[in-house]
């Protein structure tokens, strides 16, 4: 059967030209890995200021509707019975809280909200760890928590590491303010600066006090530590999702001068730890600047660390003259 997916108009100029191709790539991953569709043809179409995707799907319709509601650029979806006969599909986002927890923060260098949601979607689709009751996400370079906030909305536990204490402080303050403004019962525990576990804060939130009382682990846990630190006990997760630095500003070695390290060295150092931080069959979704690291080199680094690259294409898009961004999807293999 034929379906049509209308896409949200993006005010961000970065996605304006590439919206159709990126949305088609995301839909392809969802159809292939979540709905087990084989060789589905997806056609991006533009008519005036409207962008949409036409595609065929012969599987279970309810399962398709559930997945379409989660896509990062979905505005509306229809079953196509004839060229002029469209049946609206009842899409539901099924988010735990309002999206303002993702959109309210504004600061220079913030990771794209739409791209982050896309990465979580494709990572979830590729995850075969069978952790249905424990959909946990690790962001080893979390900054002020865009990835962690989307994980919270999806009902997944989220863990983040970052070297920037001020960013983590600002993030903790934002979460408390957001919960208070929306009157969500919550708990925030901030740790002392010199605790041996490098913990920074634990945050737990719920729609009502009864649900909050029943939670035994925090929804969001952060550590003030470099991504490559093996001393931090972050546990094992179903997914690792991160927006890698676009330049060379992140440190990859624990030297006292904190000299910047090329992105390839950073990935090599942190990926060596990931097999111990992700379950077998768990997925990795990374966005990065292809002008600083080729896709083939990034794939090779992950494969040496024990991950198999999952075939994806169509995510690359130009951000500005010096940044061309792409998304790579991989899965922890059984050979380690």
């Amino acid at each position: 059967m034929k379906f049509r997916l209308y896409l949200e108009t993006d005010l961000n100029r970065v996605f304006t030209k590439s919206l159709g191709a990126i949305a088609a790539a995301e839909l392809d991953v969802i159809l292939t890995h979540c709905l087990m569709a084989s060789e589905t043809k997806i056609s991006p179409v533009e008519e005036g200021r409207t962008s949409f995707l036409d595609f065929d799907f012969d599987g279970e319709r309810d399962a398709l509707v559930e997945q379409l509601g989660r896509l990062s650029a979905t505005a509306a979806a229809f079953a196509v019975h004839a060229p002029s006969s469209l049946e609206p599909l009842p899409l539901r986002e099924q988010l735990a809280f309002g999206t303002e927890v993702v959109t309210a923060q504004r600061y220079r260098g913030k990771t794209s909200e739409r791209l982050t949601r896309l990465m979580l979607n494709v990572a979830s689709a590729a995850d075969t760890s069978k952790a249905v009751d424990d959909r946990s996400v690790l962001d080893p370079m979390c900054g002020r928590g865009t990835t962690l906030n989307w994980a919270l909305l999806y009902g997944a536990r989220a863990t983040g590491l970052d070297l920037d204490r001020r960013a983590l402080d600002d993030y903790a303050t934002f979460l408390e303010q957001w919960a208070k403004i929306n009157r969500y019962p919550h708990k925030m525990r901030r740790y002392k600066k010199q605790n041996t576990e490098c913990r920074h804060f634990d945050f737990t939130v719920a729609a009502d006090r009864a649900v909050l009382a029943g939670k035994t682990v925090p929804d969001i846990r952060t550590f003030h530590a470099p991504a490559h630190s093996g001393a931090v006990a972050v546990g094992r997760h179903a997914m690792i999702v991160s927006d890698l630095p676009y330049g060379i500003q992140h440190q990859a070695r624990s030297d006292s001068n904190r000299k910047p390290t090329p992105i390839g060295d950073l990935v090599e150092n942190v990926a060596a730890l990931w097999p111990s931080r992700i379950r077998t069959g768990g997925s990795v979704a990374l966005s990065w600047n292809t002008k600083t690291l080729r896709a083939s080199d990034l794939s090779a680094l992950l494969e040496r660390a024990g991950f198999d690259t999952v075939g994806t294409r169509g995510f690359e898009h130009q951000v500005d003259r010096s940044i061309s961004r792409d998304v790579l999807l991989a899965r922890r293999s059984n050979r380690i």
Side-chain angles (χ1 to χ4, degrees):
M1 186 173 184
K2 294 185 179 297
F3 294 90
R4 176 167 295 179
L5 183 68
Y6 280 86
L7 306 177
E8 289 183 346
T9 302
D10 202 315
L11 298 178
N12 186 335
R13 62 174 179 80
V14 170
F15 287 102
T16 301
K17 294 182 179 180
S18 307
L19 179 61
I22 295 172
E26 179 186 11
L27 177 60
D28 182 58
V29 172
I30 300 302
L31 291 176
T32 301
H33 295 281
C34 283
L35 302 174
M36 306 305 172
S38 58
E39 299 184 6
T40 299
K41 182 180 179 182
I42 303 172
S43 302
V45 181
E46 290 191 13
E47 291 184 358
R49 295 185 178 182
T50 303
S51 299
F52 56 88
L53 305 176
D54 282 340
F55 64 98
D56 297 326
F57 180 72
D58 296 323
E60 185 181 346
R61 181 161 155 170
D62 289 344
L64 174 65
V65 170
E66 180 180 353
Q67 293 298 328
L68 293 181
R70 292 171 61 99
L71 295 181
S72 62
T74 297
F78 299 86
V80 181
H81 298 290
S84 59
S85 177
L86 303 179
E87 176 194 354
L89 300 179
L91 301 180
R92 294 179 297 276
E93 282 196 308
Q94 298 180 335
L95 299 178
F97 303 97
T99 56
E100 71 280 350
V101 71
V102 175
T103 60
Q105 289 190 94
R106 286 286 178 262
Y107 52 89
R108 184 179 180 182
K110 182 180 181 181
T111 302
S112 164
E113 298 148 4
R114 176 163 290 176
L115 181 72
T116 304
R117 184 175 191 179
L118 179 151
M119 288 197 294
L120 275 169
N121 286 342
V122 298
S124 180
D127 172 31
T128 60
S129 66
K130 309 301 181 185
V132 177
D133 298 326
D134 189 12
R135 303 288 288 175
S136 54
V137 178
L138 171 66
D139 185 348
M141 288 164 271
C142 68
R144 300 189 197 182
T146 304
T147 301
L148 309 187
N149 288 341
W150 270 120
L152 176 69
L153 293 184
Y154 279 164
R157 288 190 303 108
T159 300
L161 289 80
D162 206 274
L163 268 177
D164 189 340
R165 177 176 288 278
R166 177 173 293 182
L168 293 175
D169 285 339
D170 290 345
Y171 180 35
T173 299
F174 166 76
L175 287 174
E176 285 191 292
Q177 291 175 343
W178 164 76
K180 289 177 181 177
I181 289 172
N182 290 279
R183 298 184 177 181
Y184 292 133
H186 64 281
K187 299 177 184 177
M188 172 65 78
R189 179 179 179 183
R190 300 196 191 212
Y191 291 84
K192 295 181 179 180
K193 289 186 177 181
Q194 300 301 325
N195 69 87
T196 57
E197 295 179 325
C198 299
R199 287 194 191 180
H200 194 76
F201 71 80
D202 290 346
F203 178 71
T204 311
V205 64
D208 60 64
R209 295 190 180 279
V211 175
L212 182 69
K215 291 190 174 184
T216 58
V217 294
D219 295 303
I220 296 175
R221 169 168 286 171
T222 64
F223 295 83
H224 177 231
H228 68 283
S229 175
V232 180
V234 300
R236 287 182 180 268
H237 300 268
M239 293 168 275
I240 294 175
V241 178
S242 194
D243 183 38
L244 300 179
Y246 296 156
I248 56 172
Q249 68 268 37
H250 279 240
Q251 178 194 1
R253 296 187 179 91
S254 56
D255 58 300
S256 58
N257 294 324
R258 295 191 175 183
K259 296 178 181 179
T261 302
I263 185 64
D265 291 351
L266 170 63
V267 174
E268 186 172 24
N269 288 342
V270 299
L273 292 173
W274 288 350
S276 65
R277 294 179 170 178
I278 193 168
R279 303 183 184 101
T280 300
S283 59
V284 175
L286 303 174
S287 61
W288 86 103
N289 181 9
T290 61
K291 293 184 182 295
T292 61
L293 184 65
R294 293 181 300 183
S296 58
D297 292 336
L298 179 57
S299 296
L301 289 172
L302 291 179
E303 287 172 4
R304 286 200 295 271
F307 294 86
D308 296 325
T309 302
V310 177
T312 56
R313 62 183 184 276
F315 290 114
E316 187 169 7
H317 55 282
Q318 196 73 25
V319 177
D320 56 33
R321 184 177 298 179
S322 61
I323 299 175
S324 178
R325 188 164 52 196
D326 203 351
V327 174
L328 184 140
L329 190 60
R331 185 184 294 122
R332 186 191 168 192
S333 69
N334 295 320
R335 53 189 166 84
I336 55 174

